[in-house]
Amino acid sequence: MDCPRLAGTIHFYQFARGPCPDMRFSRMVSKTLRSDPPDAETASHRLLLRAGLIHQVAAGVYSYLPLALRSLRKIENIIRKEMDAAGGQELMMPALQPEELWEQTGRREAFGDNMFSLEDRRGRPMVLAPTHEEVITNLVKANVQSYRDLPLILYQIQTKFRDEPRPRAGLVRVREFDMKDAYSFNADESSLDESYQAMAQAYRNIFRRCGLPVLMAEADSGAIGGKDSHEFLLATNTGEDTVITCPSCNYTANAEKAESTYPEVEAEPEQALEEVSTPGIKTIAGLAEFLDVPESKTLKAVFYMSDGEPVFVTIRGDLDVNEVKLKNALQSHDLRLAEDEEVKAAGLVAGSASAIGLTDIKRVADVSITSGSNFVVGANKPDTHFHGANYPRDFQADLITDIALAQPGQLCPRCGHVLDSTKGIEVGHIFKLGTFFSEVLGADFLDAEGQQHPIIMGCYGIGVGRLLAAAVEQNNDDNGIVFPAPIAPYQAHLVGLNIATEEVAEAADKLYQELQDAGIEVLYDDREDAAAGVKFNDADLLGLPVRLVVSPRNLKAGVVEIKGRADAEAGSVPLGGVEEAVRDRLAAASEWYLL
RNA sequence: CGGGGUGUAGCCCAGCGGUAGGGCGCCUGCUUUGGGAGCAGGAGGUCGGGAGUUCGAUUCUCCCCACCCCGACCA
């Protein structure tokens, strides 16, 4: 059908109002799906596809349709404002980069198959960048020579590429994605800390202004780099990460990093080491039951391969190994569970192994083994265990440190309260990098005394597309998305019922125009051939914050129906008062995050 | 990379050794309009790709590819 406001004026709208003009439903490219896409299992994947926001091109590669793009732009603009307010300068760096650049820092090998690579026409190896530390460090190296040029915070919002082993859950883990990455450059540690704190505060502001409650969690800082690292996560049922939280003192940490304490096992007089027959017992649970001892009175043996070397790990039976902590403790590049043949080759008896008598293999133990006594441990022969094993009398380790996985129900390391846990999607990560990149690439500055130092760096990322997915994951109901108002593609969904009748068409068109003139973003369902039920269901599915209904019934009463997406019941307002009512609704919906 | 699953119309799916069907959507007309309407007519398919078996393969066999889920992986 005709679209008078668009006909012949496409260019005007593109320039006057950005790439996405206000929209009539009948002209919108995307279609809503009547049924759930069968392959999409998580809520955000299902709803983003079904509502017509995204379209899959390949595994982990999506097109973003106009509705999604509007939402992404809103998120980006919130990010821009906060980054600028924190002193950031926006720039843009290339996604296409020479592979050589990555070889200089050793990260070509570190990223391995996770990096997309290609050749240009001259056969020169190129990569698609997964992140931009190399490029930005060189850029700063060329532009900064003095402490007077520091500190500096630079950021970009750009497409990143990572050839993930397993893309999943729609926009949650993809191979091409929109990301904001920022980098700080400082002359000393306290200045780095100031930049880090400024970014942390900017992040809190960003998520609040997006209408999204966020968890800021202590995080593992990984192979490269410094002391501090925090993740920002949205709590969702389907998150990839587990966060340990303390309801009392607000200690919050990724389970990869989290510490915990657990009740001390009562110390007993040491008993003699005594062999017991345990036929067919291979697990801690089975052992504890068979011998009628608590699991905390047993020791668990786990076998790993660390950079090709077998490692024997001992931990108290009621605890589990945190592989990230173990990897860090070993300074290992590649850590994995040992396979059966490797266990046999090392002369170990799976199910009945212990450190007793072991000397020709690297032994790591969790600190938990030092606080208990008279443990049940493996006897290093089949179907046999020892009773009364004690550290260090009966066994030792080459390295004893905290390698235990924190679990809900254990106690907070700060205040002793019982810990809780939640699943979440990581949407941001901030990080003190230190001088790794500036040293390798020679980004130095002269201090006030004329001394040369490597610039101290930090990096700060937000996954924009993933934030959209996480927002939908966190905000939906049986009927569809419930968009937080600040990142909704449009603020209002104007539905015309019986729109073929002249009075309704006139009134709805007029209202559409008035709302736009008032600066309210409106999606106008002007379809003549869609039944009322279709329109209501589509409105619920898209989940815009405010729904307005113009119909013969409402017109007769001189009103327009108004309903917030999250409201149970609709209300009505006089025709003249719609704009104000919409503003009230939007303001009410955003009360908490505008505080 | 290991395990499991799926590829048939824009979407969801059925089917079968004899050359393809339903629902939704789409087009035309009529009728209808407050929570996924009705009637009539119509368009739309290299049945993921290749090879093999067969008189004949969408169907059986083998190989490959793509996608989904679980795991590994995720500075």
Side-chain angles (χ1 to χ4, degrees):
Chain A
M1 72 170 257
D2 284 345
C3 183
R5 300 207 67 225
L6 287 179
T9 62
I10 296 296
H11 296 291
F12 169 79
Y13 271 93
Q14 281 178 342
F15 288 112
R17 320 195 74 142
C20 306
D22 288 81
M23 183 55 79
R24 300 170 96 99
F25 208 115
S26 64
R27 303 303 312 150
M28 194 163 65
V29 62
S30 53
K31 299 280 189 288
T32 54
L33 301 179
R34 185 153 189 161
S35 54
D36 283 333
D39 279 346
E41 305 208 344
T42 57
S44 67
H45 189 196
R46 176 169 53 83
L47 291 168
L48 289 170
L49 282 171
R50 189 167 170 194
L53 272 74
I54 59 174
H55 184 253
Q56 184 168 7
V57 176
V61 181
Y62 288 86
S63 294
Y64 301 87
L65 280 69
L67 290 169
L69 186 63
R70 287 187 69 101
S71 199
L72 292 175
R73 290 287 179 257
K74 290 193 173 183
I75 295 168
E76 288 174 358
N77 286 334
I78 289 169
I79 291 172
R80 274 197 182 90
K81 282 184 183 139
E82 291 296 333
M83 294 308 292
D84 290 346
Q89 302 178 48
E90 185 172 6
L91 47 67
M92 182 129 96
M93 294 174 280
L96 184 66
Q97 303 178 0
E99 185 176 65
E100 191 185 2
L101 188 54
W102 292 77
E103 280 162 356
Q104 289 172 20
T105 55
R107 296 171 98 205
R108 174 62 268 226
E109 197 190 341
F111 270 96
D113 288 341
N114 274 8
M115 190 134 82
F116 281 103
S117 62
L118 65 155
E119 287 187 353
D120 70 11
R121 63 199 301 160
R122 295 178 188 83
R124 178 189 294 264
M126 307 292 283
V127 298
L128 297 178
T131 174
H132 282 76
E133 282 83 3
E134 279 79 0
V135 168
I136 199 138
T137 305
N138 278 330
L139 187 151
V140 167
K141 176 187 177 181
N143 287 281
V144 171
Q145 285 82 37
S146 160
Y147 73 96
R148 294 168 194 262
D149 298 323
L150 300 173
L152 209 48
I153 294 174
L154 305 174
Y155 76 98
Q156 66 172 347
I157 298 175
Q158 216 255 20
T159 304
K160 301 277 192 291
F161 297 87
R162 292 185 193 181
D163 196 357
E164 293 286 345
R166 187 155 90 83
R168 56 177 294 273
L171 296 188
V172 171
R173 183 164 291 278
V174 290
R175 299 192 295 169
E176 175 180 331
F177 53 100
D178 190 27
M179 182 171 173
K180 188 283 299 180
D181 48 318
Y183 306 88
S184 65
F185 300 87
N186 304 86
D188 57 48
E189 288 289 339
S190 72
S191 172
L192 169 63
D193 198 56
E194 281 174 26
S195 292
Y196 190 85
Q197 296 306 332
M199 286 294 104
Q201 188 56 49
Y203 273 40
R204 282 187 282 260
N205 296 346
I206 287 165
F207 296 116
R208 191 183 69 244
R209 288 182 60 181
C210 285
L212 298 167
V214 72
L215 294 169
M216 179 172 163
E218 294 179 15
D220 176 58
S221 54
I224 300 170
K227 295 163 286 193
D228 285 321
S229 176
H230 288 86
E231 285 177 357
F232 293 80
L233 304 100
L234 296 196
T236 59
N237 295 328
T238 58
E240 294 182 316
D241 289 274
T242 302
V243 183
I244 300 293
T245 58
C246 174
S248 173
C249 74
N250 291 326
Y251 174 70
T252 306
N254 191 304
E256 290 181 345
K257 160 91 177 180
E259 294 167 17
S260 63
T261 60
Y262 20 84
E264 289 287 321
V265 178
E266 217 173 296
E268 302 168 358
E270 289 191 359
Q271 298 166 354
L273 197 61
E274 182 189 348
E275 202 171 286
V276 285
S277 175
T278 52
I281 303 293
K282 300 271 185 204
T283 64
I284 290 296
L287 186 65
E289 189 184 342
F290 183 79
L291 295 176
D292 194 27
V293 295
E295 293 188 1
S296 57
K297 294 286 285 181
T298 70
L299 293 184
K300 186 186 290 185
V302 196
F303 322 117
Y304 286 90
M305 295 298 286
S306 169
D307 297 330
E309 181 197 4
V311 176
F312 186 98
V313 175
T314 305
I315 190 167
R316 217 170 72 186
D318 58 322
L319 305 175
D320 288 317
V321 175
N322 178 330
E323 294 189 3
V324 174
K325 286 184 183 175
L326 177 61
K327 190 173 177 177
N328 290 341
L330 289 167
Q331 298 186 306
S332 170
H333 295 290
D334 178 34
L335 181 76
R336 58 175 173 80
L337 281 171
E339 289 166 15
D340 289 349
E341 295 94 67
E342 291 165 337
V343 173
K344 277 190 199 128
L348 301 170
V349 184
S352 290
S354 76
I356 294 180
L358 284 186
T359 49
D360 53 353
I361 184 171
K362 182 154 194 164
R363 296 159 302 175
V364 179
D366 183 62
V367 289
S368 57
I369 67 159
T370 63
S371 64
S373 58
N374 298 324
F375 291 111
V376 173
V377 303
N380 293 318
K381 57 182 176 179
D383 299 326
T384 313
H385 283 79
F386 283 124
H387 201 281
N390 287 284
Y391 173 86
R393 185 191 73 183
D394 302 316
F395 60 95
Q396 299 82 39
D398 304 302
L399 177 62
I400 297 179
T401 185
D402 171 25
I403 52 167
L405 191 66
Q407 310 257 20
Q410 296 173 350
L411 305 180
C412 177
R414 303 275 167 78
C415 76
H417 195 276
V418 177
L419 291 170
D420 212 341
S421 85
T422 180
K423 292 270 186 197
I425 296 175
E426 178 190 354
V427 292
H429 200 157
I430 64 175
F431 211 109
K432 287 184 178 174
L433 278 178
T435 56
F436 175 84
F437 291 96
S438 48
E439 284 182 32
V440 174
L441 297 171
D444 300 319
F445 70 98
L446 292 184
D447 67 17
E449 280 78 45
Q451 297 292 307
Q452 182 169 288
H453 305 279
I455 304 174
I456 303 173
M457 294 172 57
C459 74
Y460 315 89
I462 294 178
V464 180
R466 182 185 274 190
L467 182 57
L468 173 59
V472 172
E473 197 67 42
Q474 200 182 50
N475 297 281
N476 65 81
D477 63 18
D478 289 345
N479 297 319
I481 302 169
V482 185
F483 264 113
I487 63 170
Y490 295 87
Q491 296 170 313
H493 194 132
L494 172 60
V495 175
L497 294 185
N498 296 49
I499 194 108
T501 61
E502 208 173 310
E503 307 82 70
V504 176
E506 258 176 40
D509 281 357
K510 185 159 170 264
L511 183 56
Y512 177 49
Q513 184 66 61
E514 284 171 3
L515 290 171
Q516 286 189 69
D517 291 345
I520 293 168
E521 301 163 311
V522 192
L523 176 64
Y524 175 23
D525 193 342
D526 62 334
R527 291 175 294 177
E528 292 187 8
D529 51 356
V534 172
K535 294 190 173 192
F536 287 136
N537 282 316
D538 278 344
D540 288 345
L541 181 59
L542 293 182
L544 302 180
V546 178
R547 190 187 75 190
L548 300 165
V549 179
V550 176
S551 71
R553 201 171 78 186
N554 291 336
L555 280 182
K556 197 165 291 177
V559 299
V560 170
E561 179 185 299
I562 182 166
K563 176 180 174 298
R565 176 61 180 85
D567 297 344
E569 300 290 329
S572 62
V573 287
L575 262 169
V578 176
E579 180 195 331
E580 194 190 343
V582 170
R583 289 196 192 288
D584 286 349
R585 295 266 168 168
L586 291 171
S590 47
E591 214 163 64
W592 73 268
Y593 50 81
L594 289 180
L595 289 176

